[in-house]
Amino acid sequence: MNGSVVRTLILKDWQLHRRLILISLAAGGVALGVIQLKSETAFLVGAIWYFVSLFVLGSMLPVSNVINERKKQTAVFLMSLPVSATQYALAKMVSTVGMFLIPWAAMAVAGSTLVLSRHDIPNGIIPLTIILFGFPLVGFCMIAGTALIGESEGWTVAASIACNSSYGLLQYFLIRDPAINRDLNSPVPVWSARVLTVLAGEAAAAGLILAITFYLQSRKREFV
Amino acid sequence: MSDFAIELRGVGKKYPWFTLDNIHLELPHGQIMGLIGPNGAGKSTTIRILLGLVQQDHGEVRVLGRRMPEEQVAAKWDIGFASEDMRLYEGMTLEWHMNFIRSIYPGWDATYAQLLLKRFGLRAEQKIKGLSHGQRVKATLLLVLARRPRLLVLDEPTTGLDPVARHEILRELTAVMNDDGRSVLFSSHNTQDVEQISDQIAFIDRGRIIDCMDKEAYLDRWRRLRLEVPAGTTLPDLPGIIQFRQNGRLAVATANAFAPGMANAYESQGARVQSIDTMTLEEIFIANVEHSREEVGA
């Protein structure tokens, strides 16, 4: 494996997108500050803002890191380097997913810690919070996969719209699910079978989407 | 080791709208080959196949002795590729790009890169988006040349450049060839560029190589005979004459395999040979493409 070139390509993507990552982290930080204002409205606005900053990052990263490289024809420059199409796809996947995972993980940990530290919010909400953090992750994998396989801005935007518009609906059904709803006011987190099933489903969906993306990408015969 | 930097044998690629048909091409080490063809002839597809960016449906491709696309990674360490549609990162400086390439290629020649910066009138700290088209081409070429590749593949490198920038780039390519080990394949529809620096010429049209040979021998083969033909005279179809156009008493015969005996043959039938002219590569290119299309259409 041509490890050093793949690593250089990943580092290059990080360097080019560090501003976007910092902006999303800053947006999340401000949202956390709003949540701390201790009014119900501020909590609601801050929480929505917090998730929206992840949704926006999840939609922008694939376009910026994958589609723009095609659209602005820098992919030809990269493919003139000693890498194969599969290695390029691997570098693209690792960099795109990695660039999302770091702010996602930081914000998931910060959000959960906030819930744990606030005595006015029951800790029973923690499993739902973690499930909700899974949505932007699965959605991001779907958008990134579409960008990598489809190489089309139109399809990527369509995937982005489909994912972003389904978050609210999924959230609605989750909160109305009695198996999850009944434990929300519990003083301790309850990891019920339903919660664990949903979490496992999210992890499996994210993993499956990435595996299919890599498989299809490695079978491509045309690169540019 | 193979005698050729590039070998394409029976290479084909079918698209719904275009077919690259049975391409045979050989570039010996240390030579410059100009691949000439009109827009949409298949130049870029051929180049992308030989770089492993597009996989051929059939045929064998070897570049620097490596099978493509299977061994493209190993081959690309020694290939410098630049194309007209290749872009650099607009928001980053040329220096950033130089550092990026240097981090990949251990053979990056920093002294030569500085020399090229000076020769091309570029500033390393300038962002790519602030460069003119000509400067961008030069920047791309700098990034390619300072790697000291054994094979340079350039797809339409001079398209859209002003005459001065074109001259600077062609001069640099000629200088690169002072190192005998280097080979260059460059595509263009500008025959002047090809005529200026190539050792070998390949014509491609509608996905087929219609001619490929040494430039000097090639230019030497082509002639245009201007004839005065008395009324009622019928001239014979001579082998090697690919085009014969007559307007009243004046006729022009285009030969792709000229022999001095042709003039005698026409004169023996009553025609008077006014002149026998050498042809520019552009004239040959047009005549060759027209002849090839007539043959295919016939």
Side-chain angles (χ1 to χ4, degrees):
Chain A
M1 191 65 177
N2 196 11
S4 69
V5 181
V6 172
R7 196 166 52 246
T8 306
L9 293 182
I10 294 168
L11 290 174
K12 180 265 303 170
D13 285 343
W14 277 76
Q15 210 178 349
L16 292 175
H17 292 91
R18 60 190 166 191
R19 191 180 296 173
L20 180 62
I21 297 167
L22 288 174
I23 289 172
S24 66
L25 281 171
V30 173
L32 273 184
V34 173
I35 291 172
Q36 294 283 30
L37 292 177
K38 293 190 178 173
S39 90
E40 200 173 322
T41 311
F43 180 84
L44 200 65
V45 169
I48 291 171
W49 184 346
Y50 201 62
F51 279 102
V52 165
S53 59
L54 271 181
F55 298 151
V56 170
L57 179 68
S59 300
M60 283 181 73
L61 256 181
V63 171
S64 176
N65 195 38
V66 180
I67 297 298
N68 280 353
E69 208 147 82
R70 296 276 176 174
K71 206 169 133 187
K72 297 185 175 176
Q73 295 171 311
T74 44
V76 185
F77 168 62
L78 296 176
M79 281 308 294
S80 73
L81 304 175
V83 281
S84 65
T86 308
Q87 289 166 349
Y88 172 81
L90 177 69
K92 223 15 84 186
M93 277 185 69
V94 172
S95 71
T96 314
V97 174
M99 282 189 287
F100 181 77
L101 277 183
I102 288 190
W104 174 83
M107 287 170 76
V109 170
S112 306
T113 308
L114 177 86
V115 172
L116 285 171
S117 66
R118 287 269 298 261
H119 298 298
D120 55 333
I121 304 172
N123 286 351
I125 209 173
I126 289 283
L128 176 66
T129 309
I130 292 174
I131 288 173
L132 291 181
F133 272 109
F135 289 166
L137 178 66
V138 176
F140 163 77
C141 291
M142 183 62 92
I143 299 164
T146 307
L148 280 160
I149 296 165
E151 297 168 9
S152 135
E153 191 170 20
W155 281 110
T156 308
V157 170
S160 182
I161 291 169
C163 290
N164 289 337
S165 57
S166 64
Y167 296 143
L169 201 65
L170 288 169
Q171 194 175 333
Y172 171 79
F173 284 121
L174 268 177
I175 292 171
R176 283 175 64 89
D177 183 345
I180 289 174
N181 183 281
R182 67 169 181 241
D183 299 321
L184 290 182
N185 289 317
S186 162
V188 290
V190 179
W191 301 100
S192 65
R194 177 62 55 87
V195 166
L196 293 176
T197 305
V198 175
L199 284 174
E202 286 180 333
L208 191 66
I209 292 166
L210 293 180
I212 290 172
T213 302
F214 185 69
Y215 173 73
L216 292 177
Q217 193 71 8
S218 63
R219 285 171 59 88
K220 277 188 182 170
R221 298 178 78 213
E222 309 285 302
F223 189 80
V224 284
Chain B
M1 189 178 136
S2 164
D3 293 335
F4 301 104
I6 293 173
E7 295 171 84
L8 278 82
R9 296 185 202 283
V11 172
K13 177 79 189 170
K14 198 172 171 60
Y15 292 104
W17 62 94
F18 174 76
T19 301
L20 200 66
D21 188 21
N22 199 26
I23 300 287
H24 287 267
L25 209 59
E26 288 173 342
L27 173 64
H29 287 288
Q31 298 257 304
I32 299 186
M33 176 183 276
L35 181 62
I36 309 172
N39 293 331
K43 302 187 292 293
S44 295
T45 307
T46 305
I47 283 177
R48 276 156 170 65
I49 287 175
L50 71 86
L51 284 165
L53 304 182
V54 170
Q55 192 171 340
Q56 67 273 24
D57 294 335
H58 54 83
E60 191 189 351
V61 181
R62 281 186 181 271
V63 178
L64 299 171
R66 310 270 187 187
R67 273 189 317 123
M68 304 295 262
E70 295 86 354
E71 297 179 277
Q72 62 170 295
V73 175
K76 285 198 281 191
W77 283 106
D78 290 316
I79 302 173
F81 169 59
S83 78
E84 191 260 328
D85 63 356
M86 180 188 279
R87 298 287 180 274
L88 304 176
Y89 290 96
E90 292 200 330
M92 310 309 278
T93 63
L94 176 54
E95 188 172 26
W96 180 88
H97 285 86
M98 289 163 71
N99 289 334
F100 175 62
I101 296 294
R102 192 177 57 192
S103 70
I104 293 172
Y105 291 88
W108 173 263
D109 188 337
T111 313
Y112 184 41
Q114 290 303 319
L115 185 73
L116 286 174
L117 270 178
K118 210 170 163 184
R119 275 192 201 161
F120 288 157
L122 297 168
R123 288 190 304 131
E125 64 278 15
Q126 196 166 354
K127 282 192 176 174
I128 300 301
K129 65 181 166 196
L131 301 179
S132 67
H133 173 66
Q135 287 172 318
R136 285 178 197 208
V137 172
K138 288 176 186 172
T140 308
L141 214 56
L142 181 153
L143 296 171
V144 168
L145 292 175
R147 296 174 209 173
R148 297 283 190 193
R150 284 167 58 205
L151 170 66
L152 260 177
V153 179
L154 307 172
D155 189 8
E156 306 267 5
T158 54
T159 299
L161 295 183
D162 64 67
V164 177
R166 260 179 54 211
H167 174 74
E168 285 174 336
I169 283 171
L170 294 177
R171 188 185 58 197
E172 208 49 54
L173 287 181
T174 312
V176 162
M177 294 312 292
N178 287 335
D179 181 343
D180 289 341
R182 294 232 165 77
S183 317
V184 180
L185 172 74
F186 88 103
S187 76
S188 181
H189 53 251
N190 188 329
T191 50
Q192 279 181 342
D193 295 348
V194 176
E195 193 165 359
Q196 205 175 324
I197 65 166
S198 298
D199 306 304
Q200 303 269 328
I201 290 170
F203 283 128
I204 185 167
D205 184 45
R206 294 182 176 175
R208 291 166 51 242
I209 297 285
I210 54 178
D211 240 329
C212 180
M213 63 163 52
D214 175 79
K215 181 185 75 180
E216 297 303 331
Y218 193 68
L219 290 172
D220 204 41
R221 265 180 34 186
W222 287 76
R223 288 288 190 285
R224 203 158 253 169
L225 292 87
R226 296 186 191 280
L227 310 168
E228 192 180 322
V229 188
T233 306
T234 306
L235 295 178
D237 285 335
L238 298 179
I241 297 290
I242 60 153
Q243 207 173 56
F244 189 88
R245 298 239 161 99
Q246 188 166 358
N247 188 5
R249 289 163 58 88
L250 297 176
V252 176
T254 304
N256 72 350
F258 175 73
M262 286 176 169
N264 297 336
Y266 283 132
E267 280 179 338
S268 68
Q269 297 297 314
R272 191 172 77 81
V273 178
Q274 291 182 327
S275 64
I276 301 173
D277 304 324
T278 55
M279 294 169 70
T280 64
L281 196 57
E282 180 154 326
E283 290 169 327
I284 295 174
F285 170 51
I286 293 166
N288 209 346
V289 166
E290 283 177 354
H291 174 59
S292 157
R293 290 182 182 180
E294 278 165 16
E295 268 193 333
V296 170

